[in-house]
Amino acid sequence: MPVPGNMMSLPLLISSILTHAVTNNPNQLIVTALGNGSIHRYRYADFATRTRKLAVGLQANNIQPGDRVGTLAWNTHRHLEIYYATAGIGVICHTINPRLHLDQIAFIINDAQDTVVFFDQHFSELVEQLIPLCPAVQQWVVLQEPDNACHEGRPNYAQWLQHDYAQFTWPQFDENTASGLCYTSGTTGNPKGALYAHRSTVLHAYASCHPDALGISRKNTVMPLVPMFHVNAWGLPYSALMSGAKIVMPGADLSGAALYQLCESEGVTLSAGVPSVWQGLVDHAQTNGLSFSTLDRAVIGGSACPPAMITALARMGVSVRHAWGMTEVSPLGTVCTLLPEQESFDDTEKLHILASQGRPLFGAQFSIMDENGQALPHDGKTTGNLMIRGNWVIERYYGHDETALENGWFHTGDVASIDANGYMRITDRSKDVIKSGGEWISSIDIENIALEHTDVLSAACIARADKKWGERPILIIMKKPATTPTAEGILALYKDRVAKWMVPDDVYFIDNMPMTATGKLQKTTLRTMFFEPREQSA
Ligand code: ADP
């Protein structure tokens, strides 16, 4: 008969990350770029003190456990304080993506029923538009200090930090209590909320520090380029603090020049973001003949990392860790590193592996299934619907009664293959897959080849309806400034690389590539721009 173990059971709370961090690394730094070259710098110890003050300030303003506190803010030390102060007292930190359409933001705030919204001054105009649309919000607090800074007579952040915190200690509660809320970007239908728990957040942070995941240690200086409003900046606010790493917050300026400067001046060793932000940094370095003196690892995910980007960063001494995740997965599911036996492979083979989405973190399990929910072989060739389950995977959407699972698995909406070592390779989002003559063409593969062209800045492959073949692939290209790539030149790259029937039928040039609020190609808009919109299912 099984017997219970005899070990302590302490709840996995977000406040325990903070307590651990400040007890063991009180002098470690958190640095924020405030804009115009101005830098804010303080120690974990100062951060912990202000976070406790804010926790008391939240209580003094009658914010109750379970309440939602919204944020419209860049990556800054103040945003980090809100993350920890809210969750630490059982309040839910609701990060809102300010790049969404006004109506969507209002929908999200109203759906979450936020009681208070903290916002960067940068978003003042947006907030003025939101106020009449979100009548349930009791206070809009501008993230400004000192006390005399004010915004249209609204309370400022300093007023929330004025309370006596000497007697305050972090409360202990059930580790399954909700800690954070983040909405999917809602490219189809209204956005839906993923409500994270303390336990899921701490386990996700733990797993992401693993050497074969993000490999974060006390030695690292971590700069999250991915915004704190995009799935908790991929957990870095938790994993970096848990590891005692120096944290560099880039603030509002995500231009290649500003990021490069910050990277060099603060000795950043690890940074993470979507390919479109990395592209700016890489372009800046390439154009100015620069290399990185401390940057060691670039974590790239959110959409497929083009192999050309892996190669460009490698030339600058930076190794890429390609990661896959989604809002519903907290977000990390896989990270790509080479196995020891693959280190001796030639460069082409290694690049092929590194361009895959990688292997599961402990705590995330994957399966690929056919349309009937039957599991398909993990042979590296068969593709199917990517399913996930695990300790930090959503079970149901916020405010929904029905489960989001199918037989215990969450359907990611991605199409992928998995090989015998667990390497997962996304071929497409199911709604982006192109079906030509009954065969599937991976839009990601087609885009990656176009991106090898030195004059191509951005490439999107979408389906055009075709009487004979059902659908045919079409390429949309945004060229680099002051270059003149030709359709023939780009199409020549496909020769002997893919089957003839996979080569795009046409190439169109476009001045600006439409992007989503999370920095990904907006293929729905491209389809409407170029062709009739098609059904959203594959
Ligand atoms: P949204 O893109 O709707 O804002 P998410 O950030 O949750 O929301 O996006 C998750 C999706 O992004 C995944 O289902 C997948 O399609 C895509 N994605 C994330 N990482 C990668 C990657 N490394 N390669 C390819 N696709 C990726």
Side-chain angles (χ1 to χ4, degrees), residues 14-257:
I14 287 171
S15 58
S16 63
I17 299 179
L18 176 58
T19 305
H20 171 82
V22 70
T23 308
N24 301 297
N25 302 292
N27 296 320
Q28 182 58 286
L29 290 176
I30 300 173
V31 176
T32 300
L34 298 173
N36 303 324
S38 157
I39 297 281
H40 177 273
R41 197 180 289 280
Y42 67 177
R43 302 171 308 138
Y44 274 17
D46 309 313
F47 164 69
T49 300
R50 279 169 57 94
T51 302
R52 292 175 66 209
K53 285 185 185 176
L54 178 58
V56 178
L58 290 163
Q59 289 171 334
N61 278 273
N62 202 26
I63 312 291
Q64 301 292 330
D67 283 355
R68 275 75 60 209
V69 164
T71 62
L72 279 165
W74 297 112
N75 292 7
T76 67
H77 60 293
R78 293 188 186 112
H79 205 172
L80 196 65
E81 289 163 4
I82 298 170
Y83 259 52
Y84 277 88
T86 48
I89 57 168
V91 168
I92 298 167
C93 181
H94 172 208
T95 53
I96 306 160
N97 186 339
R99 295 182 184 136
L100 290 170
H101 188 269
L102 178 70
D103 293 341
Q104 276 189 326
I105 301 178
F107 170 87
I108 286 174
I109 293 175
N110 292 331
D111 191 62
Q113 295 179 298
D114 293 333
T115 30
V116 176
V117 176
F118 289 95
F119 65 97
D120 277 341
Q121 183 125 43
H122 193 111
F123 300 117
S124 297
E125 261 179 45
L126 173 63
V127 165
E128 291 311 317
Q129 292 172 286
L130 283 169
I131 288 172
L133 302 176
C134 307
V137 177
Q138 292 158 18
Q139 296 198 61
W140 298 83
V141 183
V142 63
L143 287 166
Q144 274 295 308
E145 299 166 80
D147 202 18
N148 57 9
C150 68
H151 171 74
E152 309 277 332
R154 296 194 197 294
N156 74 38
Y157 189 58
Q159 292 159 5
W160 289 62
L161 302 175
Q162 284 172 346
H163 299 270
D164 179 8
Y165 67 99
Q167 301 304 317
F168 177 81
T169 51
W170 295 109
Q172 298 294 297
F173 43 79
D174 185 335
E175 64 185 15
N176 288 304
T177 303
S179 59
L181 179 63
C182 184
Y183 279 69
T184 60
S185 62
T187 34
T188 54
N190 273 327
K192 287 186 281 189
L195 185 63
Y196 309 113
H198 283 256
R199 175 187 162 83
S200 66
T201 304
V202 173
L203 289 176
H204 175 266
Y206 240 129
S208 60
C209 292
H210 190 278
D212 281 326
L214 307 189
I216 305 177
S217 83
R218 173 70 171 79
K219 290 181 194 147
N220 284 130
T221 296
V222 176
M223 178 163 75
L225 306 180
V226 50
M228 291 169 77
F229 54 74
H230 188 197
V231 216
N232 301 321
W234 301 352
L236 290 170
Y238 307 112
S239 48
L241 214 72
M242 180 183 269
S243 312
K246 177 176 166 185
I247 300 175
V248 179
M249 294 296 201
D253 190 352
L254 296 178
S255 65

